[in-house]
Amino acid sequence: NQFKQFCMNNVKNHNRYNQICGTLCLTAFIENCTYNYTNKDNLKSIWETLIYQITNNTFYAKLELLNCLISIIFSSEERFRPFASMTLYKIFDYITDDDWLKRKLALNVVYTVVYYCGEEIKPLKGYISKFLSERSADQVEEVRDVCLQILKLLGDGEASNTNANDSGFYSDRSSFSQQSNKGSQKKLNVMKKVNSKPNTSSSSALRKKKSDGSGSMRSHISSSVRQK
């Protein structure tokens, strides 16, 4: 708990390097701790810290933070349900960000939310599918792959019937296989690192669509959050 608090204090720090190191350490803590830290109070305190920083313009470790969000969803699984809708709402802008890696990581967050919290976000599935369908022609192959895997997951109905190891879903860390001692087959192992040059297409049909329908999607998610 002391180390966790140390990490979170650095995440809240105004210094860029403290933020990056704090977020990386918090991610490692989440993935490797051997006791069930993800009880209701701990999970809420960590989530509140991360979700505040995701829209903070003075926070400079956004890529690391998105990775950290993925890890905490993996670790908490269904216990993340109370935070699912608000998380989608907060990362919304990153799905259309100019940085392809931010778009990809934000979609990875969406994938894990849909996978573990499918029932919680069930009222939003139609809107999410429509929104992502308009972005399935992203010019970067890695982004397109994850987008299509989310659409497949949504189309399959229950997340538990979908193979979580589909190659379209990539993690940027070496492995998630050690993050839980449960031995759950639902945990996702790394399929591909994303430190290579993005694959782009010159076809105009594959150019990124920035904001069509985004206002409608945001309002539906916001309404869902307010109703809870």
Side-chain angles (χ1 to χ4, degrees):
N1 279 331
Q2 289 181 340
F3 181 72
K4 182 199 76 174
Q5 193 57 50
F6 171 79
C7 295
M8 291 176 66
N9 288 341
N10 277 281
V11 171
K12 298 173 185 177
N13 196 287
H14 296 294
N15 182 277
R16 177 192 299 265
Y17 298 105
N18 287 67
Q19 293 172 353
I20 294 173
C21 292
T23 308
L24 289 173
C25 288
L26 184 60
T27 302
F29 172 81
I30 291 169
E31 293 176 0
N32 294 285
C33 68
T34 56
Y35 63 97
N36 182 20
Y37 78 94
T38 50
N39 60 56
K40 184 177 180 181
D41 292 335
N42 271 328
L43 177 57
K44 183 179 180 182
S45 67
I46 295 174
W47 176 80
E48 286 178 343
T49 298
L50 297 179
I51 217 67
Y52 171 78
Q53 300 292 10
I54 200 73
T55 54
N56 182 359
N57 292 331
T58 62
F59 186 80
Y60 304 103
K62 297 293 176 60
L63 294 177
E64 292 80 4
L65 191 148
L66 289 168
N67 262 328
C68 193
L69 269 175
I70 295 168
S71 292
I72 199 168
I73 301 169
F74 278 145
S75 298
S76 55
E77 299 185 350
E78 289 81 4
R79 285 167 293 185
F80 195 80
R81 286 179 178 177
F83 314 106
S85 295
M86 179 60 78
T87 299
L88 292 179
Y89 179 76
K90 289 291 186 178
I91 68 164
F92 182 84
D93 288 337
Y94 290 92
I95 297 175
T96 55
D97 196 273
D98 290 334
D99 184 339
W100 74 272
L101 188 49
K102 285 182 182 176
R103 297 199 302 276
K104 178 181 178 299
L105 288 175
L107 287 169
N108 283 356
V109 174
V110 175
Y111 187 103
T112 52
V113 168
V114 172
Y115 186 83
Y116 288 113
C117 309
E119 286 301 312
E120 181 70 19
I121 58 138
K122 197 171 184 179
L124 300 172
K125 284 186 175 181
Y127 303 110
I128 295 173
S129 295
K130 180 182 177 183
F131 179 74
L132 294 182
S133 294
E134 296 170 350
R135 279 146 189 84
S136 59
D138 194 287
Q139 62 181 351
V140 180
E141 181 180 4
E142 287 88 341
V143 178
R144 293 198 303 273
D145 285 346
V146 182
C147 190
L148 291 172
Q149 288 302 326
I150 299 171
L151 290 171
K152 180 179 183 297
L153 187 62
L154 290 167
D156 283 345
E158 294 189 10
S160 58
N161 293 329
T162 303
N163 179 12
N165 288 309
D166 279 331
S167 60
F169 181 82
Y170 304 134
S171 162
D172 303 295
R173 292 174 296 279
S174 59
S175 176
F176 284 108
S177 60
Q178 301 300 319
Q179 66 185 349
S180 172
N181 289 333
K182 299 176 184 178
S184 171
Q185 293 303 309
K186 292 166 68 178
K187 300 297 183 182
L188 302 184
N189 293 325
V190 65
M191 299 301 295
K192 183 179 180 181
K193 286 192 175 181
V194 209
N195 54 7
S196 57
K197 195 174 181 180
N199 226 344
T200 60
S201 171
S202 58
S203 171
S204 60
L206 295 180
R207 296 192 181 279
K208 181 179 60 175
K209 299 178 182 179
K210 284 285 288 180
S211 59
D212 294 344
S214 61
S216 175
M217 180 64 183
R218 181 184 289 278
S219 65
H220 284 299
I221 294 180
S222 180
S223 297
S224 175
V225 170
R226 286 197 299 269
Q227 289 170 7
K228 296 185 184 302

